[in-house]
Structures are given as structure tokens and as C-alpha cells.
Amino acid sequence: EAEVAQSPRYKITEKSQAVAFWCDPISGHATLYWYRQILGQGPELLVQFQDESVVDDSQLPKDRFSAERLKGVDSTLKIQPAELGDSAMYLCASSNPGTSGYNEQFFGPGTRLTVL
Amino acid sequence: AQRVTQPEKLLSVFKGAPVELKCNYSYSGSPELFWYVQYSRQRLQLLLRHISRESIKGFTADLNKGETSFHLKKPFAQEEDSAMYYCALSDLNDYKLSFGAGTTVTVRA
């Protein structure tokens, strides 16, 4: 069964360092999402892609975060420089609402980031 | 702005007892409501959506537009229902999901 892949699963870094997370969505899914989940809270959308285009990045802290999906397939989320408050789980999800008619999002296992 | 509230952080019930997880939302348009579940060491996954009006794993949820609620219910809880449950709301136009803070359900033998 096809799944969303993410790497790395865990990342420990020092503040002011750069970090990058990778996501490979389910094949054929045009829509890709990056979420941040702080402990004790629900996932919060950071950025949404439709193919290679950004649909919504209104909650992405653009002074330090960037996201790209150059070929409309896999995606990278980068933080530079990392801050202590960035410690969280970063989730990637994909969906194909145009085919299914509704928005069932399929989630990856997440990357747990710890900033020291 | 859309907002989803799950008032209970933790819910503990005995096996065989009914369980109800509360979800309230605020949204100006016509939202689509979902329940997502995360079992221990597994990924977040869709449990059910209000439009389908299905019963999944014995769970049902009814959208009450008057009370802006979408509570999740199961008449007889099982130990395998122990998990984290998230209520989520989607705008029908852009498919963005807004999640509640989640409720941890523990079903005791």
C-alpha cells in the first residue's frame, strides 16, 4: 500500500543551525501539505502545494522557513536558522481531492525536531 | 477564521462503556468535518467524515449545524479504541484542514 515517506525521522540540532526535512507523497497526489505539531496541540498547516505551486503559506514564518516542491513531486522544508521554539513534530501529508471529491489527507510518520 | 475546539484533553472509559468525544467548531461557510485518529506508533489517519454518514469501527458522528458540533460516539468502547482523536474542519473550496487540539482516549479493561 502506498504511503507518504518522510526523512529523517528524528533530528537534533543546535539553535542557529540549518535543518531540512524531506517528504515524498503518494504517487499521483497533486496536493502536498506541511504541518507543524507542537506537543499537546493539533497539527497546524504551514504550507500547501498544488503540484509545484504554493497555494497557501500564510502561516509559514518566512523569515526563517522555506518550502519547495520543484517538480511537483517530493518536497523539502527548510529552517534557517533554527530557534528553540521550532522544536516540534513536522508532518507531511498528501491528497488528491480532485479525484476523490473530498479531502482525505494521508500523513507521513513525521520528523521530530529538537533544537538545543 | 475557522476554529475547532475539543474541550477534553483526556478521556478514560471502561471496556464496554459508551464513549463520546466532543468537538465544536466555528466557521462562517459550509465546512466539511472529519475525525482523524492516531493509534500508538502509527500515523495519523482518517477515521470518518460527516458527508459519508458511515459507521467506522463502530464510531458515528453527526454534524449539528445549530449547535456547531460534530461529536464522535461509540456505544461500546473496546481496548483497541485507545488512541488520540482529532476533530478537523475543511473548507470545501481550498481543502485546508484545521485541527482541534486532540483528545487522548484510554479504554481500560
Coordinates of all heavy atoms in Angstrom, one line a residue, chain B residues 18-72:
Chain B
P18 N -20.0 3.3 27.0 CA -20.1 4.2 25.8 C -19.0 5.3 26.0 O -18.6 5.7 27.0 CB -21.5 4.8 26.0 CG -21.8 4.7 27.4 CD -21.2 3.4 27.9
V19 N -18.6 5.8 24.8 CA -17.7 6.9 24.8 C -18.1 8.0 23.8 O -18.7 7.7 22.8 CB -16.3 6.4 24.4 CG1 -16.3 5.8 23.0 CG2 -15.2 7.5 24.5
E20 N -18.0 9.2 24.2 CA -18.3 10.4 23.4 C -17.2 11.4 23.5 O -16.9 11.9 24.5 CB -19.6 11.0 23.8 CG -20.1 12.2 23.0 CD -21.4 12.8 23.4 OE1 -21.7 12.7 24.6 OE2 -22.1 13.3 22.5
L21 N -16.7 11.8 22.3 CA -15.7 12.8 22.2 C -16.3 14.1 21.6 O -16.9 14.0 20.6 CB -14.5 12.4 21.3 CG -13.6 11.3 21.8 CD1 -14.2 9.9 21.8 CD2 -12.3 11.3 21.0
K22 N -16.2 15.2 22.3 CA -16.8 16.4 21.9 C -16.0 17.2 21.0 O -14.7 17.3 21.1 CB -17.2 17.2 23.1 CG -18.3 16.6 24.0 CD -18.7 17.5 25.1 CE -20.0 17.0 25.8 NZ -20.0 15.6 26.1
C23 N -16.7 17.8 20.0 CA -16.0 18.7 19.0 C -17.0 19.8 18.7 O -18.1 19.6 18.3 CB -15.6 17.9 17.8 SG -15.0 19.0 16.5
N24 N -16.5 21.0 18.9 CA -17.3 22.2 18.4 C -16.5 23.0 17.5 O -15.2 23.0 17.6 CB -17.7 23.1 19.7 CG -18.7 22.4 20.5 OD1 -18.3 21.7 21.5 ND2 -20.0 22.5 20.2
Y25 N -17.1 23.7 16.6 CA -16.4 24.4 15.5 C -17.0 25.8 15.3 O -18.2 26.0 15.7 CB -16.4 23.6 14.2 CG -17.7 23.5 13.6 CD1 -18.1 24.4 12.6 CD2 -18.5 22.4 13.9 CE1 -19.4 24.3 12.0 CE2 -19.8 22.3 13.2 CZ -20.2 23.2 12.3 OH -21.4 23.1 11.7
S26 N -16.3 26.7 14.8 CA -16.8 28.0 14.3 C -16.3 28.2 12.9 O -15.1 28.0 12.6 CB -16.3 29.1 15.3 OG -14.9 29.2 15.3
Y27 N -17.2 28.5 12.1 CA -16.9 28.7 10.6 C -18.0 29.4 10.0 O -19.2 29.1 10.2 CB -16.7 27.3 10.0 CG -16.2 27.4 8.6 CD1 -14.9 27.9 8.3 CD2 -16.9 26.9 7.5 CE1 -14.4 28.0 7.0 CE2 -16.5 27.0 6.2 CZ -15.2 27.5 6.0 OH -14.8 27.6 4.7
S28 N -17.7 30.3 9.1 CA -18.8 31.1 8.5 C -19.5 30.5 7.3 O -20.6 30.8 7.0 CB -18.2 32.5 8.1 OG -17.1 32.3 7.2
G29 N -18.8 29.5 6.7 CA -19.3 28.9 5.5 C -19.9 27.6 5.8 O -20.4 27.3 6.8
S30 N -19.8 26.7 4.8 CA -20.3 25.3 4.9 C -19.1 24.4 5.0 O -18.5 24.1 3.9 CB -21.2 24.9 3.7 OG -22.3 25.7 3.7
P31 N -18.7 24.0 6.2 CA -17.5 23.2 6.3 C -17.7 21.7 6.1 O -18.9 21.2 6.1 CB -17.1 23.4 7.7 CG -18.4 23.5 8.4 CD -19.4 24.2 7.4
E32 N -16.7 21.0 5.9 CA -16.7 19.6 5.9 C -15.9 19.1 7.2 O -14.9 19.6 7.5 CB -16.0 18.9 4.7 CG -16.2 17.4 4.6 CD -15.8 16.8 3.3 OE1 -15.2 17.5 2.5 OE2 -16.1 15.6 3.1
L33 N -16.5 18.3 7.9 CA -16.0 17.9 9.2 C -15.4 16.4 9.2 O -16.0 15.6 8.5 CB -17.0 18.0 10.3 CG -17.2 19.3 11.0 CD1 -16.0 19.7 11.8 CD2 -17.7 20.4 10.1
F34 N -14.3 16.2 9.9 CA -13.7 14.9 9.9 C -13.3 14.6 11.3 O -13.1 15.4 12.2 CB -12.4 14.9 9.1 CG -12.5 15.4 7.6 CD1 -12.5 16.7 7.3 CD2 -12.6 14.4 6.6 CE1 -12.6 17.1 6.0 CE2 -12.7 14.8 5.3 CZ -12.7 16.1 5.0
W35 N -13.1 13.3 11.5 CA -12.4 12.8 12.7 C -11.2 12.0 12.2 O -11.3 11.1 11.3 CB -13.3 11.9 13.6 CG -14.1 12.7 14.5 CD1 -15.4 13.0 14.3 CD2 -13.8 13.2 15.8 NE1 -15.9 13.7 15.4 CE2 -14.9 13.9 16.3 CE3 -12.6 13.2 16.5 CZ2 -14.9 14.5 17.5 CZ3 -12.6 13.9 17.7 CH2 -13.7 14.5 18.2
Y36 N -10.0 12.4 12.7 CA -8.7 11.7 12.4 C -8.3 11.0 13.7 O -8.6 11.4 14.8 CB -7.6 12.6 11.9 CG -7.7 12.9 10.5 CD1 -8.6 13.8 10.0 CD2 -6.8 12.3 9.6 CE1 -8.7 14.1 8.6 CE2 -6.9 12.6 8.2 CZ -7.8 13.5 7.7 OH -7.9 13.8 6.4
V37 N -7.6 9.8 13.5 CA -7.2 9.1 14.7 C -5.7 8.7 14.6 O -5.2 8.5 13.4 CB -8.1 7.8 14.9 CG1 -7.9 6.9 13.7 CG2 -7.7 7.0 16.2
Q38 N -5.0 8.7 15.7 CA -3.6 8.2 15.7 C -3.5 7.2 16.8 O -3.5 7.5 18.0 CB -2.7 9.4 15.9 CG -1.2 9.0 15.8 CD -0.3 10.2 15.6 OE1 -0.6 11.3 16.1 NE2 0.8 10.0 15.0
Y39 N -3.3 5.9 16.4 CA -3.0 4.8 17.3 C -1.6 4.9 17.7 O -0.7 5.5 17.0 CB -3.4 3.5 16.7 CG -4.9 3.4 16.3 CD1 -5.3 3.5 15.0 CD2 -5.9 3.2 17.3 CE1 -6.6 3.5 14.6 CE2 -7.2 3.2 16.9 CZ -7.6 3.3 15.6 OH -8.9 3.2 15.2
S40 N -1.2 4.2 18.8 CA 0.2 4.2 19.3 C 1.1 3.8 18.2 O 0.9 2.7 17.6 CB 0.3 3.3 20.5 OG 1.6 3.3 21.0
R41 N 2.1 4.6 17.9 CA 3.2 4.2 17.0 C 2.7 4.1 15.6 O 3.3 3.4 14.7 CB 4.0 3.0 17.4 CG 4.8 3.2 18.7 CD 5.6 2.0 19.0 NE 4.8 0.9 19.5 CZ 4.4 0.8 20.7 NH1 4.7 1.7 21.6 NH2 3.6 -0.2 21.1
Q42 N 1.6 4.7 15.3 CA 1.1 4.7 13.9 C 0.9 6.1 13.4 O 1.0 7.1 14.2 CB -0.2 3.9 13.8 CG -0.1 2.4 14.1 CD -1.4 1.7 13.8 OE1 -2.2 2.1 13.0 NE2 -1.6 0.6 14.5
R43 N 0.6 6.2 12.1 CA 0.4 7.6 11.5 C -1.0 8.1 11.8 O -1.9 7.3 12.1 CB 0.6 7.5 10.0 CG 1.9 7.0 9.6 CD 1.9 6.5 8.2 NE 3.2 5.9 7.8 CZ 3.9 6.3 6.8 NH1 3.4 7.2 5.9 NH2 5.1 5.7 6.6
L44 N -1.1 9.4 11.7 CA -2.4 10.0 11.7 C -3.2 9.5 10.5 O -2.7 9.5 9.4 CB -2.3 11.5 11.7 CG -3.4 12.4 12.0 CD1 -4.0 12.1 13.4 CD2 -3.0 13.9 11.9
Q45 N -4.5 9.1 10.7 CA -5.3 8.6 9.6 C -6.7 9.0 9.8 O -7.2 9.2 10.9 CB -5.2 7.1 9.5 CG -5.7 6.3 10.8 CD -5.4 4.9 10.7 OE1 -6.1 4.1 10.0 NE2 -4.4 4.4 11.5
L46 N -7.4 9.0 8.6 CA -8.8 9.4 8.7 C -9.7 8.3 9.3 O -9.5 7.1 8.9 CB -9.3 9.7 7.2 CG -10.8 10.1 7.1 CD1 -11.1 11.4 7.7 CD2 -11.1 10.1 5.6
L47 N -10.5 8.7 10.2 CA -11.5 7.8 10.8 C -12.8 7.9 10.1 O -13.3 6.9 9.5 CB -11.7 8.0 12.3 CG -12.7 7.1 13.0 CD1 -12.2 5.7 13.0 CD2 -12.9 7.6 14.5
L48 N -13.4 9.0 10.0 CA -14.6 9.2 9.3 C -14.9 10.7 9.0 O -14.2 11.6 9.5 CB -15.8 8.6 10.1 CG -16.1 9.1 11.5 CD1 -16.9 10.4 11.5 CD2 -17.1 8.1 12.2
R49 N -15.8 10.9 8.0 CA -16.2 12.2 7.6 C -17.7 12.4 7.6 O -18.4 11.4 7.4 CB -15.6 12.5 6.2 CG -15.9 11.4 5.2 CD -15.1 11.5 3.9 NE -15.6 12.5 3.0 CZ -16.4 12.2 2.0 NH1 -16.7 11.0 1.7 NH2 -16.9 13.2 1.2
H50 N -18.1 13.6 7.9 CA -19.6 13.8 8.1 C -20.4 13.5 6.9 O -21.5 13.0 7.0 CB -19.9 15.1 8.7 CG -20.1 16.2 7.7 ND1 -19.1 17.0 7.2 CD2 -21.3 16.6 7.1 CE1 -19.6 17.8 6.3 NE2 -20.9 17.6 6.2
I51 N -19.9 13.8 5.7 CA -20.6 13.6 4.5 C -21.0 12.2 4.2 O -22.1 11.9 3.7 CB -19.9 14.3 3.3 CG1 -19.9 15.8 3.4 CG2 -20.5 13.8 2.0 CD1 -19.2 16.5 2.3
S52 N -20.1 11.3 4.6 CA -20.3 9.9 4.2 C -21.4 9.2 5.1 O -22.0 8.3 4.7 CB -19.0 9.1 4.3 OG -18.6 9.1 5.7
R53 N -21.6 9.8 6.3 CA -22.6 9.3 7.3 C -22.4 7.8 7.5 O -23.4 7.1 7.7 CB -24.0 9.6 6.8 CG -24.2 11.1 6.6 CD -25.7 11.4 6.3 NE -26.5 11.1 7.4 CZ -26.8 11.9 8.4 NH1 -26.2 13.1 8.5 NH2 -27.6 11.6 9.4
E54 N -21.1 7.3 7.6 CA -20.9 5.9 7.8 C -20.6 5.7 9.3 O -20.3 6.6 10.0 CB -19.6 5.5 7.0 CG -19.8 5.6 5.5 CD -18.5 5.3 4.8 OE1 -17.5 6.0 5.0 OE2 -18.4 4.3 4.0
S55 N -20.6 4.4 9.6 CA -20.2 4.0 10.9 C -18.8 3.2 10.7 O -18.8 2.2 9.9 CB -21.1 3.0 11.6 OG -20.6 2.5 12.8
I56 N -17.8 3.7 11.2 CA -16.4 3.1 11.0 C -16.0 2.6 12.4 O -15.9 3.4 13.4 CB -15.4 4.2 10.5 CG1 -16.0 4.8 9.2 CG2 -14.1 3.5 10.3 CD1 -16.1 3.9 8.0
K57 N -15.6 1.4 12.4 CA -15.2 0.7 13.7 C -16.1 0.9 14.8 O -15.7 1.1 16.0 CB -13.8 1.2 14.1 CG -12.7 0.9 13.0 CD -11.3 1.3 13.5 CE -10.3 0.9 12.4 NZ -8.9 1.3 12.8
G58 N -17.4 1.0 14.5 CA -18.4 1.3 15.5 C -18.7 2.7 15.9 O -19.5 3.0 16.7
F59 N -17.9 3.6 15.3 CA -18.0 5.0 15.6 C -18.9 5.7 14.7 O -18.9 5.4 13.5 CB -16.6 5.7 15.5 CG -15.7 5.5 16.7 CD1 -14.7 4.5 16.6 CD2 -15.8 6.2 17.9 CE1 -13.8 4.3 17.6 CE2 -14.9 6.0 18.9 CZ -13.9 5.0 18.8
T60 N -19.7 6.7 15.2 CA -20.5 7.5 14.4 C -20.3 9.0 14.8 O -19.9 9.2 16.0 CB -22.0 7.2 14.5 OG1 -22.4 7.3 15.8 CG2 -22.3 5.8 14.0
A61 N -20.6 9.9 13.9 CA -20.5 11.3 14.3 C -21.6 12.0 13.5 O -21.7 11.8 12.3 CB -19.2 11.9 14.0
D62 N -22.4 12.8 14.2 CA -23.4 13.6 13.5 C -23.1 15.1 13.5 O -22.8 15.6 14.6 CB -24.8 13.4 14.2 CG -25.3 11.9 13.9 OD1 -25.1 11.4 12.8 OD2 -25.8 11.4 14.9
L63 N -23.2 15.7 12.4 CA -23.0 17.1 12.3 C -24.3 17.9 12.7 O -25.3 17.7 12.1 CB -22.6 17.5 10.9 CG -22.4 19.0 10.6 CD1 -21.2 19.5 11.4 CD2 -22.1 19.3 9.1
N64 N -24.1 18.7 13.7 CA -25.3 19.5 14.2 C -24.9 21.0 13.9 O -24.2 21.6 14.7 CB -25.4 19.3 15.7 CG -26.7 20.0 16.3 OD1 -27.0 21.1 15.9 ND2 -27.4 19.4 17.2
K65 N -25.5 21.5 12.8 CA -25.2 22.8 12.4 C -25.7 23.9 13.4 O -25.1 24.9 13.6 CB -25.7 23.1 11.0 CG -25.0 22.3 10.0 CD -25.4 22.6 8.6 CE -24.6 21.8 7.5 NZ -25.0 22.2 6.1
G66 N -26.8 23.6 14.1 CA -27.4 24.5 15.0 C -26.5 24.7 16.2 O -26.3 25.8 16.7
E67 N -25.9 23.6 16.7 CA -25.0 23.7 17.8 C -23.5 23.8 17.4 O -22.6 23.8 18.2 CB -25.2 22.5 18.7 CG -26.6 22.4 19.4 CD -26.7 21.2 20.3 OE1 -25.8 20.4 20.4 OE2 -27.8 21.1 20.9
T68 N -23.3 23.8 16.1 CA -21.9 23.8 15.5 C -21.1 22.7 16.2 O -20.0 23.0 16.8 CB -21.3 25.1 15.6 OG1 -21.2 25.6 16.9 CG2 -22.0 26.1 14.7
S69 N -21.6 21.5 16.2 CA -20.9 20.4 16.9 C -20.8 19.2 16.0 O -21.6 19.0 15.0 CB -21.6 20.0 18.2 OG -22.8 19.4 17.9
F70 N -19.8 18.4 16.3 CA -19.5 17.1 15.5 C -19.0 16.1 16.5 O -17.8 15.7 16.4 CB -18.6 17.4 14.3 CG -18.4 16.3 13.4 CD1 -19.5 15.7 12.7 CD2 -17.1 15.8 13.0 CE1 -19.3 14.7 11.8 CE2 -17.0 14.8 12.1 CZ -18.1 14.2 11.5
H71 N -19.8 15.7 17.4 CA -19.3 14.8 18.4 C -19.2 13.4 17.9 O -20.0 12.9 17.2 CB -20.3 14.8 19.6 CG -20.5 16.2 20.2 ND1 -19.5 17.1 20.2 CD2 -21.6 16.7 20.8 CE1 -20.0 18.2 20.8 NE2 -21.2 18.0 21.2
L72 N -18.1 12.7 18.4 CA -17.9 11.3 18.0 C -18.3 10.3 19.1 O -18.0 10.6 20.2 CB -16.4 11.1 17.8 CG -15.9 9.8 17.3 CD1 -16.3 9.5 15.8 CD2 -14.3 9.7 17.4

